[in-house]
Short mmCIF file of all heavy atoms in Angstrom, two decimals:
data_model
loop_
_atom_site.label_atom_id
_atom_site.label_comp_id
_atom_site.label_asym_id
_atom_site.label_seq_id
_atom_site.Cartn_x
_atom_site.Cartn_y
_atom_site.Cartn_z
N SER Y 140 14.54 -76.95 -9.82
CA SER Y 140 15.20 -78.15 -10.21
C SER Y 140 15.96 -77.98 -11.48
O SER Y 140 17.05 -78.50 -11.68
CB SER Y 140 14.27 -79.32 -10.25
OG SER Y 140 13.24 -79.07 -11.15
N GLY Y 141 15.42 -77.15 -12.38
CA GLY Y 141 16.03 -76.91 -13.67
C GLY Y 141 16.23 -75.45 -13.93
O GLY Y 141 17.16 -74.82 -13.68
N ALA Y 142 15.12 -74.81 -14.43
CA ALA Y 142 15.16 -73.34 -14.85
C ALA Y 142 14.08 -72.51 -14.23
O ALA Y 142 13.07 -73.00 -13.78
CB ALA Y 142 15.02 -73.26 -16.35
N GLY Y 143 14.43 -71.26 -14.14
CA GLY Y 143 13.38 -70.31 -13.70
C GLY Y 143 13.74 -69.61 -12.34
O GLY Y 143 13.08 -68.66 -12.00
N ALA Y 144 14.66 -70.11 -11.60
CA ALA Y 144 14.96 -69.49 -10.30
C ALA Y 144 15.40 -68.05 -10.39
O ALA Y 144 15.13 -67.26 -9.57
CB ALA Y 144 16.04 -70.31 -9.60
N ASN Y 145 16.12 -67.73 -11.54
CA ASN Y 145 16.54 -66.31 -11.67
C ASN Y 145 15.35 -65.39 -11.87
O ASN Y 145 15.37 -64.26 -11.54
CB ASN Y 145 17.60 -66.20 -12.85
CG ASN Y 145 17.09 -66.69 -14.14
OD1 ASN Y 145 16.15 -67.50 -14.20
ND2 ASN Y 145 17.77 -66.29 -15.20
N LYS Y 146 14.27 -65.95 -12.51
CA LYS Y 146 13.09 -65.11 -12.66
C LYS Y 146 12.48 -64.83 -11.34
O LYS Y 146 11.95 -63.71 -11.11
CB LYS Y 146 12.06 -65.91 -13.57
CG LYS Y 146 12.54 -65.99 -15.02
CD LYS Y 146 11.42 -66.55 -15.87
CE LYS Y 146 11.93 -66.93 -17.27
NZ LYS Y 146 12.65 -65.92 -17.97
N VAL Y 147 12.56 -65.78 -10.44
CA VAL Y 147 11.92 -65.57 -9.09
C VAL Y 147 12.74 -64.56 -8.30
O VAL Y 147 12.18 -63.66 -7.70
CB VAL Y 147 11.80 -66.93 -8.37
CG1 VAL Y 147 11.30 -66.76 -6.97
CG2 VAL Y 147 10.97 -67.91 -9.14
N THR Y 148 14.05 -64.66 -8.41
CA THR Y 148 14.90 -63.76 -7.52
C THR Y 148 14.65 -62.34 -8.09
O THR Y 148 14.65 -61.34 -7.33
CB THR Y 148 16.35 -64.15 -7.51
OG1 THR Y 148 16.86 -64.37 -8.84
CG2 THR Y 148 16.55 -65.35 -6.62
N LYS Y 149 14.55 -62.24 -9.41
CA LYS Y 149 14.37 -60.97 -9.99
C LYS Y 149 12.98 -60.36 -9.56
O LYS Y 149 12.91 -59.20 -9.26
CB LYS Y 149 14.31 -61.07 -11.62
CG LYS Y 149 14.64 -59.84 -12.24
CD LYS Y 149 14.85 -60.13 -13.80
CE LYS Y 149 14.85 -58.77 -14.52
NZ LYS Y 149 14.57 -58.89 -15.91
N ALA Y 150 11.95 -61.22 -9.52
CA ALA Y 150 10.61 -60.72 -9.09
C ALA Y 150 10.66 -60.32 -7.62
O ALA Y 150 10.07 -59.36 -7.22
CB ALA Y 150 9.63 -61.87 -9.34
N LEU Y 151 11.41 -61.10 -6.80
CA LEU Y 151 11.45 -60.78 -5.37
C LEU Y 151 12.27 -59.46 -5.18
O LEU Y 151 11.88 -58.59 -4.39
CB LEU Y 151 12.19 -61.89 -4.57
CG LEU Y 151 11.41 -63.27 -4.58
CD1 LEU Y 151 12.28 -64.29 -3.84
CD2 LEU Y 151 10.07 -63.13 -3.96
N ALA Y 152 13.32 -59.25 -5.95
CA ALA Y 152 14.13 -58.02 -5.89
C ALA Y 152 13.24 -56.81 -6.34
O ALA Y 152 13.39 -55.71 -5.80
CB ALA Y 152 15.38 -58.15 -6.68
#
Side-chain angles (χ1 to χ4, degrees):
S140 56
N145 59 339
K146 290 189 193 306
V147 177
T148 52
K149 202 171 166 198
L151 297 176

